[in-house]
Amino acid sequence: MNFLRPALRRFCFTFNTIRYRTEWPCLERALRLTPMRGVIFDGGAGSGEFLRRSMALGFSKGIALEYDEENFSKLQANAGRDARVEVMRESLLAIPLADESVDVVMSTQVIEHIEDHEKAASELCRILKPGGHAVITVPRPPEPFAQPDHVREGYVEEELSALFTPHGMRLVSNDWFLTRDTVRRMLRCARLPAHGMFVPVAWVDRETHLSPEQRRAQQPYGLLGLFQKVS
């Protein structure tokens, strides 16, 4: 069964596979705008899928932090097998790294789960070197479906910027994903037997051929902010 997983991830619909298909291109574009290819830190790394893909862009070391026990086991099995990657089961509210010790920080769909999101943002900025970049993704309201594990519905562009700019960060750019049309197809699949997992994920994707401006116009549920530390 293990040999089928890469194919299932690539071709079949799940809520994760459509996220990988739509969110990852935005992350990759943002990461390619960051000139520093030393240490990348992933805060709230989940299974480590995005960190695994990020390492292929040329980073010399990855550090993956995950607090949830089940996700941490998946992280160890996935990204933890890479000798260049260090994994840690710790909280984003108290990152056990020195100030200004990493070149890029990434946190994807995490801070909306954290009550003290100001502290989480400050910790991500604290460990980032001057001139380094932060790549942050969050939900963008309104929610198309209930998310009981979120402590807030999401962030609009101004709210996300306001969370990071007090820590010496400037906004470089925004990007958007999970457009209205993609989400509609996701919800249709979720009502099918087996939650639509045998539906081709390419059928669900209604956006990866669009420009950022076109995605922005389609009431996107996902928001990316790329920030640079200037002080």
Side-chain angles (χ1 to χ4, degrees), residues 76-107:
Q76 288 178 304
N78 189 8
R81 293 178 295 181
D82 188 333
R84 300 170 298 167
V85 174
E86 175 186 354
V87 299
M88 54 177 65
R89 188 177 175 217
E90 301 287 349
S91 170
L92 200 58
L93 300 177
I95 301 172
L97 294 176
D99 296 356
E100 300 180 359
S101 57
V102 304
D103 300 289
V104 174
V105 299
M106 175 171 67
S107 187

Side-chain angles (χ1 to χ4, degrees), residues 141-159:
E143 289 181 338
F145 42 81
Q147 294 280 7
D149 57 337
H150 288 184
V151 298
R152 60 189 56 82
E153 191 174 8
Y155 305 79
V156 297
E157 290 80 356
E158 295 79 9
E159 291 169 333

Side-chain angles (χ1 to χ4, degrees), residues 53-115:
R53 297 184 186 203
S54 298
M55 293 302 294
L57 300 179
F59 291 98
S60 60
K61 180 178 180 179
I63 303 173
L65 176 150
E66 176 56 46
Y67 184 76
D68 180 80
E69 183 176 4
E70 182 178 351
N71 282 340
F72 184 72
S73 295
K74 295 176 182 177
L75 174 63
Q76 288 178 304
N78 189 8
R81 293 178 295 181
D82 188 333
R84 300 170 298 167
V85 174
E86 175 186 354
V87 299
M88 54 177 65
R89 188 177 175 217
E90 301 287 349
S91 170
L92 200 58
L93 300 177
I95 301 172
L97 294 176
D99 296 356
E100 300 180 359
S101 57
V102 304
D103 300 289
V104 174
V105 299
M106 175 171 67
S107 187
T108 60
Q109 307 287 327
V110 175
I111 60 174
E112 68 276 5
H113 297 265
I114 300 174
E115 186 69 41

Side-chain angles (χ1 to χ4, degrees), residues 117 139 141 152 154-164 223 227:
H117 61 168
R152 60 189 56 82
Y155 305 79
V156 297
E157 290 80 356
E158 295 79 9
E159 291 169 333
L160 183 61
S161 183
L163 192 59
F164 283 87
L223 169 65
F227 300 88

Side-chain angles (χ1 to χ4, degrees), residues 35-48:
M36 302 168 79
R37 282 292 181 272
V39 180
I40 182 171
F41 172 84
D42 189 354
S47 70

